[in-house]
Amino acid sequence: MQHSPDTIYGTTIVTVRKGSRVAIAGDGQVTLGQTVLKSNARKVRRLGRGDVIGGFAGATADAFTLFERLEAKLEQYPGQLQRAAVELAKDWRTDRYLRRLEAMMIVADASISLVLTGTGDVLEPEVGVAGIGSGGMFALAAARALLDREEDPEAIVRRSLEIAADICVYTNRNIVVETIGA
């Protein structure tokens, strides 16, 4: 992938669902060309009433707009993350303004994890593991390798991001993790 020097890059988001627990983690790096603009950005947060967690990759303002829209859908469909996500994806794909937003999201609640894209995708990840962003595939591979060796999803996402940071120059070790479950 060819990186443009005037485009903001630098995000790795990974999620792991194991048993009754789910964790989403993100690094803190925002990069413009060869320059790190910010090393401690917070790309993972709680949404709605705190019963949904999410992480984003892409343009920050676009992601915040999408988080706000998702929160509105969660108010409209309380306790129904999948329905709220599908409704957001419909709007994202058909609304002229939203169509221009460049971001991806991973969201999860106690029962489901989803990857949302601007092309209308609402995907439940295989084996409960997904990764997005510049280092997302590195973190995904690491998480899948750790899945059988580690029980704690939080430990898996942390270690996966550390491994991605060793490989991807657009990923750092300022890791933020949110979890749901006992």
Side-chain angles (χ1 to χ4, degrees):
M1 173 167 84
Q2 179 118 16
H3 285 282
S4 168
D6 56 348
T7 302
I8 295 177
Y9 296 98
T11 298
T12 300
I13 304 293
V14 65
T15 187
V16 171
R17 177 177 293 279
K18 197 159 188 185
S20 63
R21 296 196 64 206
V22 63
I24 297 178
D27 76 316
Q29 186 160 301
V30 178
T31 308
L32 181 64
Q34 298 175 346
T35 304
V36 175
L37 293 179
K38 186 172 177 79
S39 65
N40 64 347
R42 186 172 175 90
K43 304 169 200 168
V44 175
R45 61 195 57 223
R46 291 195 170 271
L47 303 169
R49 297 170 293 178
D51 56 345
V52 174
I53 53 178
F56 69 86
T60 306
D62 293 356
F64 285 157
T65 299
L66 292 167
F67 273 157
E68 288 173 7
R69 295 286 182 122
L70 180 59
E71 285 184 314
K73 296 295 183 187
L74 289 167
E75 285 179 22
Q76 193 174 355
Y77 306 105
Q80 300 178 63
L81 175 59
Q82 187 167 8
R83 178 148 187 213
V86 168
E87 293 300 321
L88 172 65
K90 283 194 239 179
D91 291 351
W92 193 354
R93 187 167 162 82
T94 59
D95 182 273
R96 175 174 268 200
Y97 167 72
L98 293 178
R99 237 188 338 232
R100 294 189 178 108
L101 300 182
E102 295 181 13
M104 291 180 72
M105 300 166 61
I106 293 177
V107 294
D109 67 7
S111 61
I112 194 165
S113 300
L114 300 167
V115 177
L116 310 177
T117 73
T119 58
D121 295 318
V122 178
L123 306 168
E124 186 172 3
E126 287 185 29
V127 299
V129 180
I132 60 173
S134 302
M137 294 305 105
F138 302 121
L140 171 66
R144 288 189 76 163
L146 294 168
L147 207 53
D148 292 335
R149 296 177 174 220
E150 174 66 55
E151 287 303 315
D152 180 22
E154 182 174 348
I156 294 171
V157 295
R158 280 187 187 282
R159 183 66 184 126
S160 298
L161 274 173
E162 290 169 356
I163 291 167
D166 287 341
I167 300 167
C168 178
V169 297
Y170 298 106
T171 303
N172 71 15
R173 293 176 181 275
N174 288 340
I175 298 169
V176 173
V177 180
E178 290 287 348
T179 62
I180 294 177

